[in-house]
């Protein structure tokens, strides 16, 4: 599904496969394989593609035509996993509108990105289980179960799990972005 969506968005924007690949800093072969569902892109690759297409990351998974009331069943959630950082997200919100809600799981010692990154939004993170360090502009904020943190996502940030157990957390992002 994601491959077809990327191809659709790329062609809507009049980009060739090579142009998208060059702008995203990945190989044309990778984009070709992703579009044909022969390769699963990493979370970082998806972020780069979304940035080039000027879309929120999870809009790459968006389904057509939103209903007035959207119910997202646990078993129907969209899942994105990053094996390098030990993080996975499921989209709790339906994937359209001005608010995105994600449930994250971060393995011990893992981080949400290799380096802090920014995007034009506002975030609020709530720790459901475990411990989470939220680094914003080089300042670390240790959150325990039940703690939350809100910040301007245009500031470089990342999440890290300093604990010995997986950390579960809920992230709200408005407006949805990379």
């Amino acid at each position: 599904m994601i491959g077809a969506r990327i191809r659709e968005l790329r062609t809507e924007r009049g980009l060739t496969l090579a142009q998208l690949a060059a702008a995203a800093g990945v190989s044309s072969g990778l984009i070709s394989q992703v579009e044909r569902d022969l390769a699963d892109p990493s979370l970082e690759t998806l972020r780069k593609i979304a940035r080039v297409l000027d879309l929120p990351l999870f809009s790459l998974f968006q389904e057509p035509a939103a209903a007035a009331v959207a119910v997202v069943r646990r078993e129907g959630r969209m899942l994105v996993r990053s094996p390098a950082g030990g993080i996975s997200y499921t989209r709790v919100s339906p994937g359209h509108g001005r608010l995105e809600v994600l449930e994250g799981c971060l393995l011990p010692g893992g981080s949400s990105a290799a380096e802090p990154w920014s995007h034009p939004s506002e975030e609020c993170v709530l720790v459901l289980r475990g411990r989470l360090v939220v680094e914003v502009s080089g300042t670390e904020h240790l959150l325990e179960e039940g703690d939350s943190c809100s910040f301007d996502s245009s500031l470089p940030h990342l999440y890290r799990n300093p604990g010995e157990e997986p950390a579960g957390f809920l992230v709200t992002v408005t407006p949805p972005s990379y």
Side-chain angles (χ1 to χ4, degrees):
M1 176 176 112
I2 190 168
R5 178 79 172 137
I6 289 172
R7 182 183 311 110
E8 172 191 346
L9 293 165
R10 175 180 61 75
T11 55
E12 279 178 8
R13 285 160 176 72
L15 293 171
T16 67
L17 196 137
Q19 289 170 324
L20 175 59
V26 298
S27 72
S28 295
L30 176 60
I31 297 292
S32 175
Q33 289 179 341
V34 168
E35 286 188 356
R36 293 180 293 140
D37 293 320
L38 299 176
D40 291 324
S42 70
L43 182 57
E44 289 303 313
T45 298
L46 288 174
R47 282 182 179 152
K48 290 175 182 179
I49 292 169
R51 228 177 243 153
V52 171
L53 297 173
D54 196 30
L55 292 169
L57 170 68
F58 274 87
S59 70
L60 296 177
F61 302 94
Q62 189 169 339
E63 296 180 19
V69 175
V71 174
V72 179
R73 303 282 179 211
R74 178 184 301 236
E75 62 276 3
R77 291 184 191 171
M78 184 62 59
L79 170 68
V80 174
R81 196 181 307 262
S82 176
I87 191 163
S88 63
Y89 292 103
T90 59
R91 186 174 60 204
V92 176
S93 55
H96 53 76
R98 298 180 306 251
L99 178 68
E100 184 166 65
V101 181
L102 308 170
E103 183 175 2
C105 181
L106 188 53
L107 296 177
S111 68
S112 59
E115 296 291 326
W117 69 292
S118 61
H119 51 99
S121 298
E122 184 175 336
E123 282 184 46
C124 180
V125 59
L126 169 66
V127 177
L128 302 173
R129 63 189 173 284
R131 300 168 62 202
L132 195 67
V133 169
V134 179
E135 180 184 322
V136 181
S137 295
T139 302
E140 295 185 353
H141 308 274
L142 176 62
L143 304 181
E144 305 279 344
E145 190 172 310
D147 294 344
S148 64
C149 177
S150 297
F151 57 93
D152 180 345
S153 305
S154 67
L155 301 171
H157 62 281
L158 61 76
Y159 303 140
R160 277 189 300 103
N161 180 353
E164 296 180 12
E165 300 293 325
F169 55 98
L170 204 58
V171 179
T172 55
V173 181
T174 186
S177 66
Y178 318 113

